[in-house]
């Protein structure tokens, strides 16, 4: 009989030899000391534009999304304005983003649902957010955390990698990693935890070559062997 998701997550954690409680606290403490006030790198002007930006960011970079939405959010800041712009108009703004046709269709559909069902307001519950077209658990968690301050853990590719590689939260699925993070992340780090992990994965614990030599949590991390600093070349071009 298959284990339920939470049970599988806890099994994965025990089997993999996760970080100890004291190490987890120190892990977050060091990330917090290095970046006391982490913020999302997606640009938005309100909860609706945040929702749209996060939905557009799937399989795209935050930099690319920000470039595409700069002009869009200058004139479209609510669901009705998005509907007035229309799907074709939206595509002209986001055509540089991957999967823009599908994303444009979803943004128009979610905007219609917000207008028809919620009076143009973005709901503040995960289950209701996940009912919106193109909005999954990760997107809902980001919106709840960034806009409403909820202690949610959005597991993207960066968080999934960092959790598994370091031993902070080892799981086979994003939900398993999220479950472990939610259970083990202590105060006062819960509100900012997913931002620290995303940024750490984006700039330090990179997919191909983690930069262990400049990582503040390297000695706590289970990853082996540590990546050494690149060799420096002298003025004559020799190592």
């Amino acid at each position: 009989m298959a284990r339920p998701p939470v049970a599988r997550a806890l099994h994965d954690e025990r089997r993999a030899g996760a970080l100890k409680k004291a190490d987890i606290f120190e892990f977050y403490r060091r990330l917090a000391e290095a970046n006391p006030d982490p913020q999302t790198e997606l640009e938005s002007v309100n909860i609706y534009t945040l929702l749209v930006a996060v939905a557009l960011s799937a399989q795209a970079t935050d930099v690319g999304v920000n470039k595409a939405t700069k002009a869009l959010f200058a004139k479209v800041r609510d669901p009705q304005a998005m509907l007035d712009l229309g799907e074709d108009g939206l595509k002209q703004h986001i055509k540089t983003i991957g999967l823009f046709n599908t994303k444009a269709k979803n943004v128009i559909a979610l905007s219609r649902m917000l207008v028809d069902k919620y009076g143009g307001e973005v709901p503040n519950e995960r289950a209701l957010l996940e009912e919106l077209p193109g909005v999954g658990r990760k997107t809902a968690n980001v919106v709840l955390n960034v806009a409403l301050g909820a202690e949610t853990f959005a597991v993207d590719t960066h968080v999934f990698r960092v959790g598994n590689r370091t031993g902070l939260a080892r799981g086979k699925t994003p939900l398993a990693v999220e479950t472990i993070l939610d259970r083990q992340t202590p105060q006062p780090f819960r509100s900012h935890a997913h931002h620290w992990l995303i940024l750490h994965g984006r700039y330090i614990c990179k997919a191909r070559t983690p930069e262990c030599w400049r990582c503040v949590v390297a000695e706590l991390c289970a990853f082996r062997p540590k990546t050494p600093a690149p060799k420096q070349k002298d003025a004559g071009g020799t190592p």
Side-chain angles (χ1 to χ4, degrees):
M1 182 177 178
R3 291 184 178 89
V6 172
R8 286 201 305 271
L10 298 180
H11 171 74
D12 287 344
E13 178 191 5
R14 288 192 293 269
R15 178 181 57 78
L19 297 184
K20 295 179 180 179
K21 186 175 181 180
D23 289 337
I24 292 172
F25 188 94
E26 180 63 11
F27 190 102
Y28 283 117
R29 189 199 67 77
R30 293 186 186 188
L31 293 180
E33 183 177 55
N35 185 3
D37 187 28
Q39 301 291 328
T40 179
E41 294 185 329
L42 284 173
E43 296 173 359
S44 62
V45 296
N46 56 28
I47 188 172
Y48 171 71
T49 56
L50 173 65
L51 173 64
V52 171
V54 179
L56 294 176
S57 70
Q59 300 182 50
T61 66
D62 287 2
V63 172
V65 172
N66 290 340
K67 287 181 179 179
T69 58
K70 184 176 182 179
L72 175 65
F73 293 161
K75 58 182 178 180
V76 175
R77 300 190 173 195
D78 60 69
Q80 186 58 57
M82 188 67 77
L83 294 176
D84 293 341
L85 177 65
E87 187 173 331
D88 289 339
L90 175 56
K91 286 180 181 179
Q92 291 305 306
H93 283 279
I94 67 170
K95 59 186 178 182
T96 56
I97 300 176
L99 306 175
F100 74 93
N101 284 314
T102 298
K103 291 177 180 179
K105 182 178 181 179
N106 284 336
V107 168
I108 293 298
L110 74 82
S111 298
R112 172 56 64 192
M113 189 171 179
L114 290 176
V115 169
D116 293 346
K117 190 172 182 178
Y118 299 106
E121 300 295 323
V122 176
N124 60 2
E125 296 179 23
R126 181 193 285 127
L128 299 180
L129 286 168
E130 288 188 70
E131 291 179 356
L132 298 171
V135 177
R137 188 178 182 90
K138 185 201 78 173
T139 296
N141 279 339
V142 172
V143 172
L144 291 172
N145 178 268
V146 174
L148 302 174
E151 295 176 353
T152 55
F153 301 82
V155 179
D156 67 354
T157 57
H158 297 302
V159 176
F160 187 79
R161 179 175 67 256
V162 170
N164 277 283
R165 179 184 277 167
T166 64
L168 181 68
R170 282 179 169 163
K172 294 182 179 180
T173 66
L175 180 58
V177 171
E178 179 187 337
T179 301
I180 296 169
L181 288 174
D182 191 17
R183 189 176 71 87
Q184 295 204 145
T185 301
Q187 295 291 8
F189 309 115
R190 294 179 61 81
S191 293
H192 288 321
H194 98 268
H195 280 129
W196 282 314
L197 298 177
I198 287 172
L199 295 172
H200 192 66
R202 184 173 292 164
Y203 298 112
I204 304 294
C205 197
K206 300 176 182 179
R208 290 190 177 182
T209 307
E211 299 182 0
C212 303
W213 69 90
R214 65 186 191 96
C215 174
V216 297
V217 295
E219 66 188 73
L220 302 170
C221 169
F223 179 70
R224 299 289 186 278
K226 303 299 186 190
T227 307
K231 293 182 179 179
Q232 300 295 319
K233 293 184 178 182
D234 61 26
T238 58

